[in-house]
Each structure stands twice: as C-alpha cells, then as structure tokens.
Amino acid sequence: MKTISHTLRLYVTALLICMASSYAYAADPVLELAFSNQHQKLARADLLKHPALRTITIPADVSYKRSMEYRALPLLSILRDVSKVEMVQFKAEDGFVANIPAQLLTGAAEPWLAIEPINAPWPTLKSGGRSAGPFYLVWLKPEKSGITQEQWPYQIAQISEVRPLQTRYPQILPHSPVDSAEYRGMHVYTVHCASCHQINGGGDAVVGPDLNKPYNPTEYFQATFLRLYIRDPAAVRTWRQLTMPGFSDTVMSDAQLDDLMAYLRQMAQQK
C-alpha cells in the first residue's frame, strides 16, 4: 500500500511540475510580426537569447522621464526587410496604436526593441499600474529624425505592415486643398493624435474618444481652452484615469497647433 501511495505521489508531483512548466511557457509574452514577407510569433524568452541582444542606455526616456537601461535588440534585427514598406504599425495591449513611417526605422534615430527581463521587471509607469514591458520601442538618437513622444509605443503586442492612415480611412481627409492649413493639420493629427483617437470612426486606436462624433472638441471647447487642453490637459480638467499627455511647443509647434485647430474646425463640418 505504501509503495502504491509513494508511486502516486511521485506521479502527481511530476504532473504538477509539467503543468507548471507548460503554464509558464504559455504565459510567456509573445510579440507578433505581421508583414507580407514575415509572419512570426516571437516569445520573450527566445528574444532574450537573441545573439544581437545588448544592454543600452536611453539618457532621456520619454515614458519614464529619466535615464533608463535596457536589454534590447536593434529593431531591424528581427524585421527581415522593410525597404518596400511605407508604414509600420505598433499595436499596444491597451489599444494604443503608433503608425510610424518605415523610413524612420531605417534612419539615424536607431530604433531598438527593449525587452523586459523575466525576473527583473521595469518600474511601473504610474502607481498601481504596469511597466512599459514586456516590449517597448525606444530610440537611441531620437533627435536625429525628430521622433515624437507618440512614437515610443510600449506594452507592444504586434508589429505589422500597413498602408498610411488616410489611405485606409478616407473619412479623415479634409475637403481642403493639399497645401491648406486644414490638410497640414490632418498630418499633425496622424502623427500626434491618431495613436489614441479616431476621426469619423476612421483610425486604428481605441484608447480615447472619436474627435468628431458625436461632437468635435471645437464645438464644446472655447478655442483658448482647447489649445490649453492640448498643451496641458490637467490644467483644464483632471481625473484619476487621465492618460492624455500634454504637447508642449517643443513637441508640437504653435504653427502645427494652429493647423490642427483648423483641421478640427473643418472636420466639424464633415461628420
């Protein structure tokens, strides 16, 4: 009887170990790549064994607001070929979407994929929240290509090839000449706002509200306060779930803000 009981305990122990191992493997974060020439799902544990993995220092990390050190891979070391790709989309777990021109990824700014170590998690981004992991796009020399704060996506779940936003969603196009303030403002929107907001139901992101339906912010904000809200959201209204960053004049110039305002006023007429 003791022999049977002992054998049973050994069997149960082995089964539990196997189940725990399987669960750990299944729970390991996975990064999906979806390109016309590359479809892969890359597990964090495997990426941390990649021969190109390095320790890098980002002196002024956009998300952590300080110097950060990461174990990271040159982004192009995991992307086979983006020479014929126009736009690369980074989709985060929370619905944030960054559409980044492929030429920026091959330029002087040097994009790296930071990978959160399994046993050494990064700091949380805010009290009670999560870190930027498991996968975070960082730039060694962002000033070389004018990389904006919206082009540092974190908690990345998927990287894919897409067409430009205005090609896929023509409802975001203003009925204005291509050399107009309204048209320039659309480009300000696609760079700075489309990561969180749609226009007329057009866009990839689902973090913030649609900027034109049911109402456009130019319809319920006085212009002065709308400009202030874009510059410093907490100066106008604040709540615990506030996540919108402010866009200082070093990120969005006064001229770009003027164009964005013109675009929003135009789109209020194009519901």
Side-chain angles (χ1 to χ4, degrees):
M1 193 69 174
K2 286 185 178 180
T3 301
I4 296 175
S5 178
H6 180 67
T7 302
L8 181 60
R9 284 200 301 273
L10 289 176
Y11 173 77
V12 170
T13 300
L15 180 61
L16 289 174
I17 292 173
C18 182
M19 290 174 64
S21 177
S22 298
Y23 174 79
Y25 179 80
D28 193 36
V30 171
L31 177 65
E32 182 178 359
L33 304 182
F35 290 77
S36 59
N37 63 349
Q38 184 178 11
H39 290 270
Q40 286 181 283
K41 290 186 177 180
L42 307 175
R44 172 173 61 178
D46 293 330
L47 288 172
L48 287 170
K49 298 175 184 175
H50 195 287
L53 190 72
R54 299 289 184 273
T55 297
I56 63 170
T57 298
I58 304 297
D61 188 278
V62 164
S63 299
Y64 285 104
K65 314 297 183 188
R66 60 182 175 87
S67 177
M68 289 289 291
E69 186 175 273
Y70 297 108
R71 296 291 284 167
L73 290 169
L75 183 65
L76 296 182
S77 69
I78 62 169
L79 301 184
R80 289 177 186 160
D81 182 14
V82 294
S83 61
K84 297 180 181 179
V85 176
E86 188 171 358
M87 193 73 64
V88 177
Q89 182 179 95
F90 296 78
K91 186 175 292 185
E93 296 172 10
D94 65 356
F96 179 94
V97 178
N99 293 305
I100 301 177
Q103 63 183 13
L104 290 180
L105 303 180
T106 58
E110 294 189 33
W112 287 68
L113 182 71
I115 306 167
E116 187 174 39
I118 297 171
N119 298 318
W122 301 331
T124 58
L125 292 170
K126 60 181 180 180
S127 179
R130 292 181 52 188
S131 73
F135 308 111
Y136 174 27
L137 181 66
V138 300
W139 304 81
L140 271 183
K141 302 174 183 177
E143 70 285 352
K144 295 287 187 180
S145 300
I147 301 301
T148 71
Q149 62 191 27
E150 303 303 305
Q151 294 171 331
W152 293 68
Y154 53 77
Q155 297 171 9
I156 301 169
Q158 184 187 69
I159 304 175
S160 59
E161 171 186 350
V162 296
R163 292 178 297 154
L165 206 65
Q166 59 267 36
T167 302
R168 292 181 287 126
Y169 301 103
Q171 65 265 48
I172 74 171
L173 286 163
H175 298 163
S176 307
V178 295
D179 60 348
S180 66
E182 293 82 3
Y183 209 90
R184 293 194 302 271
M186 179 196 67
H187 289 294
V188 177
Y189 157 77
T190 59
V191 172
H192 295 290
C193 311
S195 296
C196 295
H197 301 278
Q198 297 183 359
I199 288 274
N200 288 333
D204 303 315
V206 294
V207 177
D210 191 297
L211 293 181
N212 209 38
K213 289 186 175 181
Y215 290 101
N216 187 294
T218 61
E219 296 175 292
Y220 56 84
F221 264 121
Q222 294 179 14
T224 299
F225 283 98
L226 178 54
R227 296 177 72 94
L228 178 58
Y229 185 70
I230 293 170
R231 290 290 191 214
D232 182 10
V236 176
R237 59 186 183 191
T238 185
W239 63 100
R240 183 172 296 179
Q241 289 77 30
L242 176 64
T243 58
M244 179 175 167
F247 295 88
S248 69
D249 55 7
T250 60
V251 175
M252 183 189 299
S253 69
D254 286 337
Q256 289 175 318
L257 181 52
D258 289 341
D259 291 341
L260 178 61
M261 295 284 287
Y263 172 65
L264 292 174
R265 286 192 295 269
Q266 174 63 37
M267 296 312 291
Q269 309 304 315
Q270 293 181 215
K271 292 188 186 293

